[in-house]
Amino acid sequence: MVAVRENLTEVEGVIASREPHPTRPGFDEVVLTVQRAAPVEGKADLVQPSPGEDLHVAVRRELIGDAPPGARVRLRAARTSSGDVMAEPHPTPEDFSIL
């Protein structure tokens, strides 16, 4: 079940590692080494990662494709009601990219 998005943060970083998510079928747990983070206008910024921090993000496998460790990713993510961080599951093309 996907939590309602009341918060959103834009995050850009390098994939440090990824593996199938332990509790979300169809998602990978991606560890991003954060390079940049910014609040999304009009949304609360509950993720607030710092540059250099490793951030665990659940990302829909279909979105992340075969991006390997070392690839740079830009996405928007929210903190869920369980406290986890999850990328938007169906972002617009300008809100998700593998750089």
Side-chain angles (χ1 to χ4, degrees):
M1 185 164 90
V2 178
V4 174
R5 300 281 182 250
E6 295 179 359
N7 67 92
L8 208 52
T9 304
E10 185 175 300
V11 179
E12 188 173 312
V14 175
I15 297 173
S17 65
R18 64 180 283 194
E19 60 187 40
H21 196 280
T23 60
R24 294 186 186 272
F27 282 75
D28 279 358
E29 182 169 334
V30 177
V31 178
L32 287 181
T33 301
V34 176
Q35 294 177 318
R36 185 185 70 76
V40 172
E41 187 176 336
K43 301 288 183 178
D45 179 10
L46 301 182
V47 178
Q48 301 180 334
S50 299
E53 177 183 339
D54 281 345
L55 180 67
H56 292 250
V57 183
V59 181
R60 213 164 47 91
R61 194 169 297 124
E62 184 178 320
L63 282 175
I64 198 78
D66 60 358
R72 208 169 84 206
V73 178
R74 185 177 53 79
L75 52 80
R76 297 190 330 170
R79 191 156 308 272
T80 67
S81 59
S82 66
D84 295 333
V85 176
M86 186 168 74
E88 284 183 304
H90 302 284
T92 60
E94 59 270 8
D95 292 329
F96 183 93
S97 59
I98 299 170
L99 309 166

Short mmCIF file of all heavy atoms in Angstrom, two decimals, residues 2 4-5 8 11 19 23 25-27 38 40 47 50-51 56 60 62-64 67 71 75 77 79 82-83 92 96:
data_model
loop_
_atom_site.label_atom_id
_atom_site.label_comp_id
_atom_site.label_asym_id
_atom_site.label_seq_id
_atom_site.Cartn_x
_atom_site.Cartn_y
_atom_site.Cartn_z
N VAL A 2 0.54 2.22 -0.81
CA VAL A 2 1.33 3.44 -0.93
C VAL A 2 0.71 4.52 -0.05
O VAL A 2 -0.50 4.76 -0.09
CB VAL A 2 1.37 3.90 -2.40
CG1 VAL A 2 2.14 5.19 -2.53
CG2 VAL A 2 2.00 2.82 -3.28
N VAL A 4 -0.16 8.29 1.34
CA VAL A 4 -0.52 9.56 0.71
C VAL A 4 0.69 10.48 0.77
O VAL A 4 1.34 10.61 1.80
CB VAL A 4 -1.72 10.20 1.44
CG1 VAL A 4 -2.02 11.57 0.89
CG2 VAL A 4 -2.94 9.30 1.33
N ARG A 5 0.97 11.15 -0.34
CA ARG A 5 2.12 12.05 -0.41
C ARG A 5 1.76 13.43 0.11
O ARG A 5 1.11 14.20 -0.55
CB ARG A 5 2.59 12.20 -1.86
CG ARG A 5 3.01 10.91 -2.48
CD ARG A 5 4.40 10.55 -1.99
NE ARG A 5 4.85 9.34 -2.62
CZ ARG A 5 4.99 8.19 -1.99
NH1 ARG A 5 4.71 8.10 -0.73
NH2 ARG A 5 5.43 7.14 -2.62
N LEU A 8 7.41 16.02 -0.03
CA LEU A 8 8.16 15.66 -1.23
C LEU A 8 9.48 16.43 -1.24
O LEU A 8 9.50 17.63 -0.94
CB LEU A 8 7.34 16.02 -2.46
CG LEU A 8 7.55 15.23 -3.74
CD1 LEU A 8 7.45 13.72 -3.53
CD2 LEU A 8 6.54 15.65 -4.79
N VAL A 11 15.80 14.85 -4.82
CA VAL A 11 17.09 14.32 -4.41
C VAL A 11 17.88 13.91 -5.66
O VAL A 11 17.32 13.30 -6.58
CB VAL A 11 16.93 13.08 -3.49
CG1 VAL A 11 18.29 12.53 -3.08
CG2 VAL A 11 16.10 13.41 -2.26
N GLU A 19 19.29 -3.44 -4.18
CA GLU A 19 18.87 -4.84 -4.06
C GLU A 19 17.35 -4.86 -3.99
O GLU A 19 16.73 -3.82 -3.73
CB GLU A 19 19.50 -5.50 -2.83
CG GLU A 19 19.15 -4.83 -1.53
CD GLU A 19 19.93 -5.43 -0.37
OE1 GLU A 19 21.11 -5.73 -0.52
OE2 GLU A 19 19.30 -5.58 0.70
N THR A 23 10.32 -5.64 1.62
CA THR A 23 8.89 -5.69 1.94
C THR A 23 7.99 -5.12 0.85
O THR A 23 6.77 -5.19 0.97
CB THR A 23 8.59 -4.92 3.25
OG1 THR A 23 8.98 -3.55 3.10
CG2 THR A 23 9.32 -5.55 4.43
N PRO A 25 7.16 -5.60 -2.97
CA PRO A 25 7.35 -6.30 -4.25
C PRO A 25 7.37 -5.30 -5.41
O PRO A 25 6.62 -4.33 -5.43
CB PRO A 25 6.13 -7.22 -4.35
CG PRO A 25 5.62 -7.35 -2.95
CD PRO A 25 5.97 -6.07 -2.26
N GLY A 26 8.28 -5.53 -6.36
CA GLY A 26 8.38 -4.66 -7.52
C GLY A 26 9.23 -3.42 -7.28
O GLY A 26 9.38 -2.58 -8.16
N PHE A 27 9.78 -3.29 -6.07
CA PHE A 27 10.64 -2.15 -5.73
C PHE A 27 12.04 -2.66 -5.39
O PHE A 27 12.22 -3.79 -4.94
CB PHE A 27 10.10 -1.41 -4.49
CG PHE A 27 8.94 -0.52 -4.78
CD1 PHE A 27 7.67 -1.05 -5.00
CD2 PHE A 27 9.09 0.86 -4.80
CE1 PHE A 27 6.59 -0.23 -5.25
CE2 PHE A 27 8.01 1.69 -5.05
CZ PHE A 27 6.76 1.15 -5.28
N ALA A 38 16.66 19.28 -2.38
CA ALA A 38 15.93 20.54 -2.32
C ALA A 38 14.46 20.26 -2.05
O ALA A 38 13.92 19.27 -2.52
CB ALA A 38 16.09 21.31 -3.63
N VAL A 40 10.47 20.59 -2.52
CA VAL A 40 9.58 20.79 -3.66
C VAL A 40 8.58 21.87 -3.25
O VAL A 40 7.97 21.78 -2.18
CB VAL A 40 8.86 19.47 -4.04
CG1 VAL A 40 7.79 19.71 -5.10
CG2 VAL A 40 9.88 18.44 -4.53
N VAL A 47 12.23 14.63 4.21
CA VAL A 47 13.36 13.73 3.98
C VAL A 47 14.65 14.40 4.44
O VAL A 47 15.41 13.83 5.20
CB VAL A 47 13.42 13.29 2.51
CG1 VAL A 47 14.63 12.39 2.26
CG2 VAL A 47 12.14 12.57 2.11
N SER A 50 21.40 15.29 3.75
CA SER A 50 22.55 16.18 3.58
C SER A 50 23.48 15.63 2.51
O SER A 50 23.60 14.40 2.37
CB SER A 50 23.33 16.29 4.89
OG SER A 50 22.50 16.82 5.90
N PRO A 51 24.19 16.50 1.77
CA PRO A 51 25.18 16.01 0.80
C PRO A 51 26.19 15.10 1.50
O PRO A 51 26.64 15.37 2.61
CB PRO A 51 25.84 17.30 0.28
CG PRO A 51 24.75 18.33 0.43
CD PRO A 51 24.05 17.96 1.72
N HIS A 56 18.58 5.61 2.00
CA HIS A 56 17.90 4.41 1.52
C HIS A 56 16.55 4.82 0.95
O HIS A 56 15.75 5.43 1.67
CB HIS A 56 17.71 3.40 2.66
CG HIS A 56 18.99 2.83 3.15
ND1 HIS A 56 19.33 1.52 2.93
CD2 HIS A 56 20.02 3.39 3.81
CE1 HIS A 56 20.52 1.30 3.46
NE2 HIS A 56 20.95 2.42 4.00
N ARG A 60 10.62 2.05 -7.54
CA ARG A 60 9.98 1.06 -8.39
C ARG A 60 11.00 0.52 -9.39
O ARG A 60 11.67 1.27 -10.09
CB ARG A 60 8.78 1.70 -9.11
CG ARG A 60 7.65 0.76 -9.35
CD ARG A 60 6.37 1.51 -9.70
NE ARG A 60 6.51 2.53 -10.69
CZ ARG A 60 6.36 2.33 -12.00
NH1 ARG A 60 6.02 1.16 -12.45
NH2 ARG A 60 6.51 3.33 -12.83
N GLU A 62 10.80 -0.89 -12.21
CA GLU A 62 10.56 -0.49 -13.59
C GLU A 62 11.19 0.87 -13.90
O GLU A 62 11.65 1.11 -15.00
CB GLU A 62 9.06 -0.46 -13.85
CG GLU A 62 8.68 -0.17 -15.27
CD GLU A 62 7.17 -0.20 -15.46
OE1 GLU A 62 6.51 -1.08 -14.88
OE2 GLU A 62 6.69 0.67 -16.19
N LEU A 63 11.21 1.77 -12.91
CA LEU A 63 11.80 3.10 -13.10
C LEU A 63 13.32 3.05 -13.14
O LEU A 63 13.95 3.68 -13.98
CB LEU A 63 11.39 4.04 -11.96
CG LEU A 63 10.01 4.63 -12.00
CD1 LEU A 63 9.77 5.43 -10.72
CD2 LEU A 63 9.83 5.51 -13.21
N ILE A 64 13.90 2.34 -12.19
CA ILE A 64 15.35 2.35 -12.04
C ILE A 64 16.04 1.48 -13.10
O ILE A 64 17.21 1.64 -13.37
CB ILE A 64 15.74 1.95 -10.59
CG1 ILE A 64 17.16 2.37 -10.25
CG2 ILE A 64 15.54 0.49 -10.33
CD1 ILE A 64 17.32 3.80 -9.93
N ALA A 67 20.04 0.45 -13.99
CA ALA A 67 21.06 1.41 -13.55
C ALA A 67 21.98 0.76 -12.52
O ALA A 67 21.52 0.28 -11.49
CB ALA A 67 20.40 2.65 -12.98
N ALA A 71 25.84 4.98 -11.09
CA ALA A 71 24.97 5.82 -11.92
C ALA A 71 24.40 6.95 -11.05
O ALA A 71 24.15 6.76 -9.87
CB ALA A 71 23.84 5.00 -12.52
N LEU A 75 15.53 12.18 -8.52
CA LEU A 75 14.16 11.72 -8.25
C LEU A 75 13.52 12.60 -7.19
O LEU A 75 14.19 13.44 -6.59
CB LEU A 75 14.16 10.25 -7.80
CG LEU A 75 15.08 9.84 -6.65
CD1 LEU A 75 14.49 10.19 -5.29
CD2 LEU A 75 15.38 8.37 -6.71
N ALA A 77 11.26 12.19 -3.67
CA ALA A 77 10.94 11.16 -2.69
C ALA A 77 10.18 11.75 -1.52
O ALA A 77 10.29 12.94 -1.24
CB ALA A 77 12.23 10.50 -2.19
N ARG A 79 8.75 10.82 2.67
CA ARG A 79 8.79 9.95 3.84
C ARG A 79 7.38 9.38 4.01
O ARG A 79 6.41 10.11 3.99
CB ARG A 79 9.22 10.72 5.08
CG ARG A 79 9.52 9.79 6.22
CD ARG A 79 10.45 10.35 7.26
NE ARG A 79 11.70 10.91 6.83
CZ ARG A 79 12.83 10.23 6.67
NH1 ARG A 79 12.85 8.92 6.83
NH2 ARG A 79 13.94 10.86 6.33
N SER A 82 5.32 4.94 7.55
CA SER A 82 6.15 4.00 8.32
C SER A 82 7.54 4.57 8.62
O SER A 82 8.33 3.93 9.30
CB SER A 82 6.28 2.68 7.57
OG SER A 82 7.00 2.86 6.37
N GLY A 83 7.84 5.75 8.06
CA GLY A 83 9.15 6.37 8.29
C GLY A 83 10.16 6.09 7.20
O GLY A 83 11.24 6.67 7.20
N THR A 92 6.44 12.20 -13.36
CA THR A 92 6.50 12.70 -14.73
C THR A 92 7.95 12.55 -15.21
O THR A 92 8.87 12.50 -14.38
CB THR A 92 6.07 14.18 -14.78
OG1 THR A 92 6.95 14.94 -13.97
CG2 THR A 92 4.63 14.36 -14.30
N PHE A 96 12.06 12.44 -12.83
CA PHE A 96 12.89 11.25 -12.58
C PHE A 96 13.83 11.07 -13.76
O PHE A 96 13.39 11.06 -14.91
CB PHE A 96 12.03 9.99 -12.44
CG PHE A 96 12.86 8.77 -12.10
CD1 PHE A 96 13.05 8.40 -10.78
CD2 PHE A 96 13.47 8.02 -13.09
CE1 PHE A 96 13.82 7.29 -10.46
CE2 PHE A 96 14.25 6.92 -12.77
CZ PHE A 96 14.43 6.55 -11.45
#
